[in-house]
Structures are given as C-alpha cells and as structure tokens.
Amino acid sequence: MFEIRRYTAGQADEWNAFVAASKNGTFLFDRRYMDYHSDRFEDCSLMVYYKSELYALLPANRVAETLYSHQGLTYGGLLMSSDSKTAVVRDAFVAVNAFLRQEGIRRVRYKHIPWIYASLPSEEDLFALNNVCKAQSCSRDVSTVVMLRHRLPLSELRRRCVRKAQKAGVEIKEVQDCSAFWPLLEDNLKARYNARPVHSLDEIALLRSRFPQHIRLFVACKDGRVIGGTLLYICARTVKTQYISANDEGRRVGALDLLFSTLLDKCSENGMEYFDFGTSNRPDNDDLNDSLIFQKEGFGGRAVCYDTYEYSL
C-alpha cells in the first residue's frame, strides 16, 4: 500500500502544499527555502504515498552510503498530516527503509522535529525509530525556550541590564535591510568563535524576499548606529532566533537585554506560544556553553532538546 518516490523539482508545488498543511512542518521545509543551497547537498528527499495519496515527506540529503534528514536544516524528520496514525507511520518506516536499501543506503541519521514546532502531537516517528529501526540517540542539543503564555520573570541581572540600556538611550526597531547588521554579526562570530554565519548577506536577502513574514530582523540602535540585533524565524506559534549578535558597545550597555525583553513582550501580545533562543552546545565537543545558556535562561527560558538518531540498514 506504500509507494516511495525520490523528490524531483517538478513536484515542488505538491511538496510545498503538503508542508503548508502538515502538522509538524515549518517554512524551512518549503522548497523555496530548502533549495537556496541545493548546490551544497545531494538532495535525497522522499515522498511517501499511502493508498495512492501523499502521506508523508522526508527532507533528506545523501553523502555516500548515509542518508541525513537534511544537513542544511536546523531540524528535520518525517513531515506528517493531521491524519497520520502511529501504526501507518510505523509501516511507512518499513517501506522507506526497504526503499533506501535498494538505493544503496546503509546508514540513516535522523533529526527529530522539536515538539514546539508542531501544531498537533507528532511523535509517531519516535515510536517507529525505536520499534522498527532500533535507532540509537547519537546527539542531543539543548535549546532554551520561553513559554510565552506562562512566562517566568526575567532574572535580576537581566532586569538590571534592561534598565542600563534604557538609560543609555538604546532604541529597538525592526528593519528591512540586513546590510548594517550583517558585518557586525560576521565580525562578532569570527572574533568570539572563529566562525561565520551559515547564510551570506545575499542568501539571507534572497530568503527574506521569499518569506518576508517569516524572516524578520530586529535591531538595537544607539545614536542611530546598530549595536546589536537578532534575526527571527517566525513559524505558526513559535519564534526562533536564527542569529543573535552585539558589538562591544552593545554588550556594555545591555542592548540585547532590552531587545529581547521588548521582543518577548511583543510576541506574547501577538499570541505566539514559544520563543526559542536556539541551542547552546559547543560546536567542537557538543558540551554545554554554560555562559551562553545562563544568559538565555535569564530571560525565563528552559530546556527543549533537539535530538538526532542513527540506525543501520
């Protein structure tokens, strides 16, 4: 009753329509987002049909004999409709795995979609990973999430920094042009982590033009100069910080504290449910960056895990 097909560009409309109606998909799985970096990955996304109807999607790429639920995305996994049932999803994994074996895949690394991005309970895949695939947990990143309908108060340190920023005349505003923020972000990442943004300025401008309601930039300014900011990815009920950065002056006057205090209030007023500050694992050894998560938890955030599983075929 299952048919597994490799995604092709000619199926983009069918793919995107399913993502938009799914119970655990976000705009990151829209092909207009996914395909901006298609030259970097060998796409191996799958479309799962059940009784001749599209039943699920698996955004994925291939490296040699390993299938990854897509390496170019923060989270991934099986996208399902509200009609998805546990027994059928279990059987779908059997069919998917049989297809992958025929394609020469010997190993799968699977990123589960955190529950805060789902509109309905969506952990049918976790049952299948355990009972069908015998998968093992191979990575657990920890994100810091504020539950906006039941907010914890800011810590005293964060409140002091908010007052400091207000006294210094810091202003918070949304801007459409990323060009003033991006050099600040690039310089800060290089100096502090010897890293660079995942997206170039041109790439983020392209994505913002395609998803203007979902990708928005808020900055902290002093005397007309950008001294800090955050690029937000806005989904149906969850807001995620894709990038956060401040220069030396911004850190000194507490610019990010005022920025996030303001944004948490606005997101709560607008009916959003979760504010995801992103993960705080060290990139070199997967350990916790204590100082980074301390700052995020000061805004009332607590842990939600981003899990990756692995299994052999």
Side-chain angles (χ1 to χ4, degrees), residues 6-27:
R6 285 278 300 271
Y7 166 80
T8 64
Q11 297 165 296
D13 289 344
E14 183 182 16
W15 176 285
N16 290 343
F18 188 92
V19 170
S22 67
K23 65 178 182 176
N24 61 338
T26 69
F27 76 94

Side-chain angles (χ1 to χ4, degrees), residues 293-307:
I293 201 168
F294 172 80
Q295 181 185 34
K296 296 174 180 179
E297 289 177 340
F299 292 103
R302 296 297 184 264
V304 170
C305 289
Y306 283 50
D307 289 343

Side-chain angles (χ1 to χ4, degrees), residues 13-289:
D13 289 344
E14 183 182 16
W15 176 285
N16 290 343
F18 188 92
V19 170
S22 67
K23 65 178 182 176
N24 61 338
T26 69
F27 76 94
L28 274 70
F29 301 112
D30 189 295
R31 299 309 304 202
R32 294 172 298 163
Y33 186 96
M34 285 184 63
D35 292 344
Y36 88 89
H37 52 20
S38 59
D39 58 319
R40 303 178 203 171
F41 301 96
E42 179 185 350
D43 192 272
C44 196
S45 299
L46 303 182
M47 304 178 74
V48 180
Y49 292 83
Y50 177 63
K51 296 182 179 180
S52 300
E53 298 290 333
L54 184 58
Y55 191 80
L57 302 174
L58 182 60
N61 69 285
R62 177 175 183 165
V63 179
E65 295 183 340
T66 300
L67 184 86
Y68 293 86
S69 62
H70 206 289
Q71 290 176 291
L73 300 175
T74 306
Y75 44 80
L78 196 72
L79 306 184
M80 298 170 281
S81 74
S82 58
D83 293 330
S84 297
K85 305 295 195 302
T86 302
V88 181
V89 171
R90 175 200 62 196
D91 296 343
F93 268 83
V94 175
V96 165
N97 289 342
F99 176 85
L100 293 176
R101 290 188 191 97
Q102 293 175 353
E103 294 289 306
I105 298 295
R106 299 292 174 260
R107 185 174 66 132
V108 176
R109 287 180 66 94
Y110 183 98
K111 291 187 288 192
H112 177 65
I113 301 170
W115 60 269
I116 56 174
Y117 292 97
S119 59
L120 291 170
S122 304
E123 296 188 347
E124 292 85 355
D125 59 338
L126 291 183
F127 177 84
L129 285 172
N130 182 74
N131 288 64
V132 173
C133 307
K134 309 303 179 185
Q136 300 294 317
S137 173
C138 62
S139 176
R140 171 163 283 172
D141 292 343
V142 62
S143 190
T144 306
V145 176
V146 176
M147 184 175 284
L148 293 170
R149 293 184 178 178
H150 304 281
R151 285 173 62 181
L152 297 175
L154 271 62
S155 70
E156 177 55 33
L157 175 58
R158 300 274 72 85
R159 290 199 297 270
R160 287 203 306 268
C161 290
V162 168
R163 293 193 293 269
K164 181 191 296 185
Q166 291 170 330
K167 186 176 181 180
V170 175
E171 296 180 325
I172 307 302
K173 62 182 180 179
E174 182 175 8
V175 296
Q176 302 304 318
D177 186 359
C178 293
S179 59
F181 174 67
W182 225 249
L184 182 155
L185 172 67
E186 291 174 332
D187 292 346
N188 193 39
L189 286 176
K190 183 171 180 58
R192 294 169 69 87
Y193 305 107
N194 194 28
R196 58 187 300 177
V198 174
H199 306 89
S200 69
L201 178 58
D202 287 342
E203 288 171 341
I204 206 64
L206 173 66
L207 292 172
R208 275 172 53 81
S209 71
R210 293 177 177 176
F211 301 96
Q213 299 305 313
H214 294 286
I215 303 176
R216 298 169 65 179
L217 176 62
F218 292 84
V219 296
C221 299
K222 187 174 186 297
D223 302 325
R225 295 172 288 104
V226 174
I227 59 175
T230 182
L231 187 79
L232 299 182
Y233 276 17
I234 301 174
C235 302
R237 62 175 188 161
T238 300
V239 178
K240 183 182 183 299
T241 59
Q242 182 68 16
Y243 295 108
I244 304 170
S245 200
N247 60 19
D248 288 340
E249 182 180 12
R251 288 189 289 273
R252 187 170 62 252
V253 300
L256 293 182
D257 295 277
L258 180 59
L259 174 64
F260 285 118
S261 175
T262 302
L263 289 175
L264 288 170
D265 288 342
K266 287 183 177 296
C267 290
S268 182
E269 291 168 2
N270 291 336
M272 303 302 290
E273 296 184 41
Y274 303 102
F275 192 99
D276 183 359
F277 277 98
T279 59
S280 299
N281 296 68
R282 297 184 182 277
D284 51 345
N285 60 10
D286 209 33
D287 197 5
L288 191 64
N289 185 328

